[in-house]
Structures are given as C-alpha cells and as structure tokens.
Amino acid sequence: MTVKQLLLEYDKVNERGTLSPGDTLSGRVTVVTDKETKVQCFLVKAKGKAEVMWPEQDRGASLVHSDKKTYFYFEDIILQDKKGDGSIIIGPGKNVYSFTFEIPKRDMPSSYKGKWGKIIYSLRAKLTQSIWQVHKAKTEFPFLTKSEFPFVSKSEMIIIGLKEPQYGTRISFYGSGKVTMNVSSEKMGLKQGETMEVSAEVLNNSAHTVTPKFFLCEKQTFVAQSQRIVHTNAILLGTGESVSAATSRTVSTVLTVPSHLPPTFFNCSKMKLEYRLKVTLDVPLGRDLEIKLPLVILLGQPKPPKEKAKRSWFT
C-alpha cells in the first residue's frame, strides 16, 4: 500500500461551524504516500440529501419503506488518467489538493437525524489506484437553513402568533365531582436555550387528589412515497404540587428549552419535526386529564463555551 493517509477537511465560515445556502464550501484533501503512486482517478464529491427508511411487518412478510431526496450534488475531479498510460502520478510524501464548491441559494432544511431518517450534508474523497486499490475518506458538515420560519409556507412567513399567549381548558368528571384545568403559556415560539413561564390552574371539585405533570412532546414524521410513519417521544419536565379534593390551586413553573434541541421544521418533503407542551393531571383510579399546547422551537444564538453544569427544566 503506497497511500498511507487520505485526509479530508473543510473550512469553517462562522463560529457555529455551519454552512448555509449561498456559502462557499472550500477545503483540502491531503494524501500521504511513501513513494510515487500512479492514479487512475482522484475526486471529491459534495452532497446534500434527505433519506428515510423503516421496516414493517405486513401479513407475516417483512417490508422496508425507503425514499430519498437530493438537494445538491457536485463532483470535482482532481486527477484522472484519461489516456490509461499510467502517466498521472502523485509524488512521495505529503500532497495537498484544494477544492471549492458553491452551495446553491435555495431553501434546504438543516442537518437532522431522527428515528427513521436523516438530513445529511457531506464531503467524500475517492482515490483509485486500480480496481483493487481504492482509498476513501468522508466527513459530514453541519448545515443550517436560511429560512427564518422553516415550519410554514412562504405566504405565511410572518407569524404573529409566535409571540402571543397560549391557552387551553379541559373539564373531566370523576364520580360526582368535576375537575377543571386551565393551562397558559407566555407564547408559542421559544428559542433554543430560552425560558418561559407555564401555569396550570386546577379547580378540583372531585373526591380525589390530583397532581399536575409537565411534558415536552416531540413528534417526528417520516414519508416514503405514499407511506407515512410517526415517532413520538414525551420528556417529563417535572411534577407540580398536588391539589387536594375540593380545593383549587395555580401551579406555575419555568420551562427552559435545551440549547441542543433541534428547531421545529417542515421544509423537507421526507420528514418534519414538531413539538407540543403537554400538561396532565395524574388522577388515582381515573383517566388522566391532559392539555396540549403548540410549541414552536426556533433557532437560538450560539453561546460561548463554558464549564459543564447541571441544568434543570425547572428553576
């Protein structure tokens, strides 16, 4: 083996290390050899794609649903032996080759990895010496959409409701008693790392003690041609104070969205990501009462690195 190392790197253009539509993707491929090396073809590829795949059992048969969408594909041939005479040679030692691609200025979703699909943007280098000697290198780069609201259509780009308070009410009967729960949040849109107050007003006219619980619900939807699958996940944020029988109480808490939580998005035809704030009343020997409020998570501002500390959903 004359090729000792094949290293692929790209240049960061901002403090996040992300690339976006319209940016220049540049970098270099480093090839380290111990002697002169004949090359048939040496190239670099840049690709952005969304792909989904999930298994399913249908009448005892195993099926796999899959689909993909390509957002861009570029190829830069650095070296190629078109004549086939072995005249294309890489010298011994360290050899560095630069490349540059222009990312298209179009609406493309951010990088994302979910239960049954992912949106990935990657670079690949391939050096072919012969049919039996092929060297490859791959790296993924984080991609960030330029759409301010990647969860609505272009005709609805300004969403006033993101800053408006949200309310929900439910009433349930347990035996001869009635339980009413009113839930409110300061707004529907919340940036990564941002906090907001959530309140649950409970009027308990039943004979049971009820306890409010707060959840963050995630909904991932994947589409492959005419098939669709949904993956949901509920994260318990915390439990409020119990409300005794024949009493009322308002329980308030502060919700902090983790800075690493992916933002809401709809601008991918193969998958989408949604969130809900769910408040339930845990009722002994009864069906839990629940209220779901829409929650749109927006991209936050990057924060400087700092020492790790324990973080809580409640303050």
Side-chain angles (χ1 to χ4, degrees), residues 27-77:
R28 66 211 61 83
V29 186
T30 302
V31 184
V32 179
T33 66
D34 57 4
K35 61 180 181 180
E36 287 191 347
T37 303
K38 294 181 179 180
V39 176
Q40 288 186 355
C41 186
F42 182 25
L43 55 83
V44 178
K45 302 176 182 179
K47 190 174 185 179
K49 66 177 181 178
E51 56 182 20
V52 296
M53 183 175 64
W54 69 88
E56 185 178 289
Q57 293 291 327
D58 184 14
R59 299 177 183 178
S62 298
L63 302 176
V64 175
H65 300 288
S66 64
D67 205 349
K68 64 180 180 179
K69 178 178 176 62
T70 299
Y71 293 104
F72 61 79
Y73 176 86
F74 301 109
E75 186 175 280
D76 181 8
I77 299 177

Side-chain angles (χ1 to χ4, degrees), residues 149-313:
F149 301 119
F151 45 85
V152 294
S153 67
K154 293 181 179 179
S155 61
E156 302 171 312
M157 289 303 290
I158 300 177
I159 304 298
I160 299 176
L162 292 177
K163 298 181 180 180
E164 295 296 320
Q166 301 294 307
Y167 303 95
T169 299
R170 291 290 186 275
I171 300 175
S172 289
F173 293 88
Y174 302 100
S176 60
K178 180 176 70 172
V179 178
T180 302
M181 180 168 64
N182 300 309
V183 175
S184 63
S185 64
E186 292 180 330
K187 52 188 174 181
M188 182 172 65
L190 204 60
K191 290 183 178 181
Q192 294 167 315
E194 194 176 6
T195 63
M196 75 172 179
E197 187 177 53
V198 181
S199 297
E201 180 187 9
V202 181
L203 289 77
N204 185 8
N205 291 322
S206 75
H208 303 283
T209 296
V210 295
T211 305
K213 293 183 178 180
F214 299 83
F215 296 85
L216 176 66
C217 298
E218 176 191 45
K219 179 182 178 182
Q220 304 173 14
T221 303
F222 304 94
V223 179
Q225 299 169 357
S226 60
Q227 303 299 316
R228 179 176 174 268
I229 191 172
V230 175
H231 172 71
T232 59
N233 183 38
I235 303 170
L236 176 63
L237 309 182
T239 302
E241 297 180 4
S242 298
V243 182
S244 302
T247 61
S248 64
R249 172 177 287 175
T250 298
V251 179
S252 296
T253 189
V254 175
L255 163 67
T256 301
V257 175
S259 58
H260 65 272
L261 205 65
T264 302
F265 71 87
F266 285 175
N267 62 338
C268 175
S269 61
K270 301 304 172 187
M271 65 192 80
K272 63 181 179 180
L273 177 64
E274 304 169 80
Y275 294 96
R276 295 288 187 273
L277 175 64
K278 182 173 75 173
V279 182
T280 68
L281 279 183
D282 187 8
V283 182
L285 304 176
R287 184 179 179 182
D288 289 353
L289 176 67
E290 70 174 41
I291 293 176
K292 289 183 180 180
L293 297 180
L295 180 63
V296 175
I297 296 181
L298 305 167
L299 184 69
Q301 296 297 322
K303 295 182 179 180
K306 60 180 180 181
E307 293 183 2
K308 291 184 178 180
K310 294 184 178 179
R311 307 190 74 181
S312 173
W313 286 86

